[in-house]
Amino acid sequence: MTKPLLPGISTTKMVEGVFAVNKPKSISSAQVLRDIQHSFNRSALFAPWLDAERTRRVQESKRQQQRRRDKRIQVKLGHGGTLDPMATGVLIVGVGKGTKRLQDFLTCTKTYEATVLFGAATDTYDVLGKVLSKAPYTHLSRENVEAALNKFRGSITQKPPLYSALRMDGKRLYEYAREGKEIPREIQERPVTTENLELREWLPGGCHPYTWPDEEADEEEKLVADKVLHLDVASEDAKNDLSSIDNTLDADLTQGTKRRREIEDEDGAEIGITPARKRQAICPAPIMSGARQESGSSDCVTAPAARTLPPAETQMSLEDLPSTGKPPAARLSMTVTSGFYVRSLCHDLGQEVGSLGIMSELVRTRQADFELGRNVLEYDDLCKAENVWAPLLVQVLDDWQGKMAKKSEEDAPDHNVSLEPS
């Protein structure tokens, strides 16, 4: 069937470059790319790119063809920094040779708006996790939260959450958490910079829609929190059981027996994943917002004072909570460097003000030169008919290529950026 021509748009030009899409809530970054790819594969706009790719595949050696895992011919896409499924906002997308430029976006600054809900801590540091502990919050006010933010401005160090994509001994941290296994060693704090951090809005209890998760962690899951996150939330009986396990392990190691210890539910299910969350396991796990892969940076920065959970006697159970009081929340805005975890900020801020905190909402409003409301395409538009999204996409890609050409001339006049097929 002949594909429809687009008025005013060439369907013989090779379309490549970088653009941004406004990622909706409750969908993974990978799924956004799959949906966009589905639209592009069927379009007239990307027909020249697909034809060129078919020609290139035919010219490949047999060895190259055998090594290719995915034999399908599809428009090549990639993203420049993933967002958690619960997050919304700017998701950078590279198409064709534009994917080679995505590394530039992993190291740029990003701007976020986040809402922290006080009074509870979860294993994931956000409202999608299981509640590990609760703490008082009636003493909180806009003034003491604003004062606490000073500790998180400028050059600081930050410990990534256990549910993150950083690797330790070749395995991602979230894989240890899902399997209920202890990590091989302490998660190290990492240097990050908060260029701007402001309290945009104070939300008193009962004046906002945010609530704690309904599900609480069981004793075994709290044991993992004790060992990995140093949260004093497990019962004494459970701690004694863990101590007995540690003594047995030490004896085995003394005898030269190598054993990998796992902490699992009785039915062997992965700890920390409810049935609803297991369905998300096919997509990339919660990954840091504004993230980068673990690096060997040895920059020396001053770390904030160590923060721990409130003493056990001040922690609260569901029965101890006020019958009418509801926890307050705060809406923050921040501009941060690569590697910054907004979830860690919410967790640490809660402890800093003598309570607990979890991230309940996150929007990435800007990444590099892409900003919501200015030059970011809407996800819903990209899923509509081609005559809706094609003109918008072509305009954004043309603008981006114009900026790259200008930057190339300024940096190296004799070197031109080219996205034309070679």
Side-chain angles (χ1 to χ4, degrees), residues 206-222:
C207 298
H208 60 78
Y210 308 109
T211 59
W212 298 332
D214 294 328
E215 187 172 9
E216 292 200 66
D218 60 30
E219 286 299 327
E220 264 190 312
E221 292 163 336
K222 290 180 179 180

Side-chain angles (χ1 to χ4, degrees), residues 19 63 74 82 87 104 108 123 125 128 146 150 153 198 230 248 265 315 335 410 416:
F19 64 98
R63 181 176 177 82
Q74 304 189 87
T82 189
D104 299 341
C108 65
D123 54 355
Y125 292 5
L128 299 181
E146 281 187 326
N150 288 325
R153 295 187 174 106
E198 302 296 335
H230 303 295
T248 301
D265 287 337
Q315 295 181 25
T335 298
E410 294 174 350
N416 292 320

